[in-house]
Amino acid sequence: MSINSIFSPLKPKENKFFPMINNIGDLLAKAAKQQAELIKKSSFEEMEEDYKIIKECETQSDTEIAKIYEELNKSFITPFDREDIHSLCETVDDTLDFINSTSKRILLFRPKQIPEISVRMTEIISECCNAINISLHELKTVNKKPETALKQCELLHDLEQEADEIYENFVKKLFEEETDTKEIIKNKEIVQHMERTTDMAKHVGKIIKTIIVKYA
């Protein structure tokens, strides 16, 4: 039996960790939604404005996660195992980092034509991040009603599989049709980063499922 289980009756009803975890979920979902808007813009100048919002989300999330780590170091009782909270925050942060770095690459590489499938990929990423956000908001009551969070974790799995298939087909088509080596490198790396974002989002889902198994 873990120490969290032993002292479970002593936990305050309003745990300070949950609002902070909810905040990083909100920031993740906001950044993903902004990236989905960025990819539709007709000029890199317009994209720059979207990127500023994404970068701000990343900065705010870093600050919020630092607060969570600080609380972990000084709190005797935590809502879940410290290792699980740390891993959860780390993978959410990595997911947001991928969103930020993909958006930055688009602006740095400035491909002649952004692949059409990027629109669907950013939609998938946004759906993934919304699923994560919903799951994070459910953690407070996951021991009583885990169904919603589990459903979102399954959705993450399905979305990641769709992204994998899109990426594989894209790479095949890219090498068959594109003749400009520089454009091949640019577009492959941009879309590959999008696919890796969904991989990381799926990993977040696995950690959430681990927490559910332990506490539901």
Side-chain angles (χ1 to χ4, degrees), residues 1-9 11 76-78 81-82:
M1 182 179 290
S2 70
I3 192 166
N4 280 322
S5 299
I6 296 171
F7 288 95
S8 182
K11 292 179 186 177
F76 180 61
I77 299 174
T78 56
D81 287 343
R82 297 171 191 276

Side-chain angles (χ1 to χ4, degrees), residues 21-35:
I21 291 173
N22 291 346
N23 284 343
I24 64 173
D26 291 340
L27 289 165
L28 177 67
K30 181 179 179 180
K33 181 180 179 182
Q34 204 65 48
Q35 186 187 52

